[in-house]
Amino acid sequence: MVLTIIWVMVMAVAIIGVLFNVASALAIRAPDRAPDLVDWPAITVLKPVHGTEPALAGNLAALFAQDYPGAVQIIFGTRNADDPALAVIAAARKAYPAADIDIVVSDRRWGANNKLSNLANMDEAGRHPLVVIADSDVDWAPDSLRRLAGALADPAIGLASCLHVGRGDAGFWSRMAAMDLSYRFMPNVLMGVALGMAKPTLGPTMAFTRETLARIGGFAAFADVLADDYEMGAAVRALGLRTVLPRFYITHGCSESSLSALVRHEMRWTVTIFRIDPAGFAGSIVVHTLAIALMGATISGFSVAGLAVLGAAFSSRVFVKWRMDRASGTVSGPLWLVPFRDLLSFALFCATFFVHKVDWRGSQFRVTRDGRLQS
């Protein structure tokens, strides 16, 4: 009797997950047409770097190749004068001699978050009224700056960030990381937005006016939080401004070369989400449809009903992948890897409830309930 009750509950969660997957897939849309402004504001792009990445040169080339009618200042920043990324930047600088480039090397620390400390140091050299943050591992389509500037042309919008899909740049495990971004995380984001339940701000690329940045306290105000994108979005909305996700996709390069690297990276974010919103994180169990359906099928001894729900769960995941690949124009991984990726995601979801510290670039931190880092 108890086993039957458990099976019914598991099957109910799996069926809800199937419906959620189908709805998430339908929420995925192809990019809108790029805007066409009369006046294109000047933009400062902040590109913090930390070591080399497999596709760094290509990511920089995409930045220099932007089809943007206005002035663009590009600031690269690192905390280390010996950072090997500087050699890649120097080569790019020679390839694009007409580009307006500044390089800031400073180890000044504003808080525990090295990226935000880096950005605070870099922004002191910024000159233009629009500020765009672009992580070193993102690759842009040529019209990305146009789209961000178009979004910020609405005075009611205080911050624009970007939908993104994953690209594996370092072999098998990086591809697994890319698949999680494209086929689990991003569809869930789109579904949350469609339901009006989420107002996400996604960190790989964010854009705001310099005035808005100053009103929320600048980068230094967020130098002690791990989920800086989440906190910056909340701060912008507290000003009475909107945060938006324009409908286009950037590519997020993943460079995890081993299972341990993937686990460290993804656990950092799952633990952060759990600490900030425990109930919401626990409720996200419904997105792990395939793993839950497999549990149900196993409990039932692979009965006809159990296998039917398992088949529906797999089909719903195939639908999500097909929709995302078609809309973004990027295939993050093969279909046969989807079940393995989903089971790994579920294992990390379960482990999150028992992890108290995260690893960030070789250092161990505890994440507090408000998302702050403690040594």
Side-chain angles (χ1 to χ4, degrees):
M1 181 65 179
V2 173
L3 192 61
T4 301
I5 294 173
I6 293 174
W7 178 73
V8 170
M9 293 175 63
V10 170
M11 285 293 96
V13 173
I15 292 169
I16 292 171
V18 169
L19 297 175
F20 185 90
N21 271 314
V22 171
S24 298
L26 294 175
I28 298 169
R29 297 283 192 276
D32 289 330
R33 183 176 179 179
D36 189 13
L37 303 181
V38 175
D39 296 313
W40 294 93
I43 294 178
T44 293
V45 178
L46 304 178
K47 191 88 167 175
V49 296
H50 179 85
T52 57
E53 294 160 354
L56 181 59
N59 296 340
L60 298 189
L63 172 57
F64 290 118
Q66 286 299 296
D67 178 20
Y68 187 72
V72 178
Q73 175 197 20
I74 302 170
I75 303 177
F76 296 103
T78 178
R79 298 178 55 78
N80 184 1
D82 297 324
D83 194 321
L86 292 174
V88 181
I89 293 170
R93 198 170 193 174
K94 289 182 180 179
Y96 299 91
D100 180 3
I101 298 173
D102 290 288
I103 299 174
V104 174
V105 179
S106 175
D107 61 358
R108 183 180 181 186
R109 182 176 292 280
W110 298 81
N113 187 321
N114 283 334
K115 175 185 171 181
L116 267 291
S117 292
N118 198 4
L119 287 169
N121 295 330
M122 295 163 64
D123 194 47
E124 292 179 349
R127 300 192 303 270
H128 296 322
L130 262 58
V131 180
V132 177
I133 304 169
D135 283 357
S136 58
D137 54 9
V138 299
D139 190 1
W140 286 350
D143 60 358
S144 296
L145 282 182
R146 282 178 175 263
R147 292 178 178 276
L148 291 169
L152 292 177
D154 183 344
I157 294 174
L159 189 153
S161 57
C162 297
L163 302 170
H164 53 273
V165 290
R167 181 190 65 206
D169 291 339
F172 177 80
W173 293 110
S174 67
R175 178 164 288 193
M176 289 284 274
M179 291 176 68
D180 189 61
L181 286 176
S182 298
Y183 306 139
R184 185 190 63 84
F185 175 68
M186 198 50 52
N188 295 342
V189 167
L190 289 168
M191 186 60 181
V193 172
L195 293 175
M197 297 173 61
K199 297 178 181 178
T201 302
L202 305 179
T205 293
M206 298 189 292
F208 24 60
T209 66
R210 188 165 295 282
E211 178 186 1
T212 298
L213 179 60
R215 290 178 65 191
I216 63 175
F219 295 114
F222 305 91
D224 272 323
V225 298
L226 178 55
D228 48 88
D229 47 2
Y230 171 87
E231 297 293 346
M232 293 178 81
V236 168
R237 289 190 294 273
L239 299 176
L241 299 172
R242 292 166 51 209
T243 56
V244 297
L245 287 166
R247 192 183 296 170
F248 74 102
Y249 299 86
I250 63 171
T251 301
H252 188 289
C254 301
S255 57
E256 292 84 352
S257 59
S258 66
L259 174 60
S260 60
L262 182 149
V263 169
R264 287 195 301 271
H265 187 189
E266 294 189 3
M267 286 298 295
R268 187 171 77 233
W269 291 111
T270 58
V271 170
T272 300
I273 295 168
F274 173 59
R275 293 291 178 182
I276 292 174
D277 183 13
F281 180 80
S284 70
I285 191 173
V286 297
V287 309
H288 298 283
T289 315
L290 199 56
I292 301 300
L294 180 59
M295 288 173 56
T298 303
I299 293 171
S300 71
F302 294 97
S303 65
V304 173
L307 289 174
V309 173
L310 181 59
F314 179 69
S315 298
S316 72
R317 297 295 292 137
V318 172
F319 188 38
V320 168
K321 181 185 185 314
W322 178 75
R323 291 277 296 184
M324 181 57 76
D325 290 349
R326 186 179 182 188
S328 67
T330 300
V331 177
S332 298
L335 179 60
W336 67 269
L337 268 180
V338 169
F340 300 99
R341 176 62 258 196
D342 281 7
L343 293 177
L344 177 58
S345 296
F346 181 65
L348 296 178
F349 169 83
C350 295
T352 299
F353 295 94
F354 306 98
V355 173
H356 303 291
K357 286 193 173 183
V358 298
D359 181 278
W360 195 14
R361 299 194 186 277
S363 298
Q364 294 285 319
F365 294 95
R366 184 182 297 275
V367 184
T368 65
R369 290 293 184 187
D370 59 356
R372 294 188 175 274
L373 296 169
Q374 289 183 347
S375 302

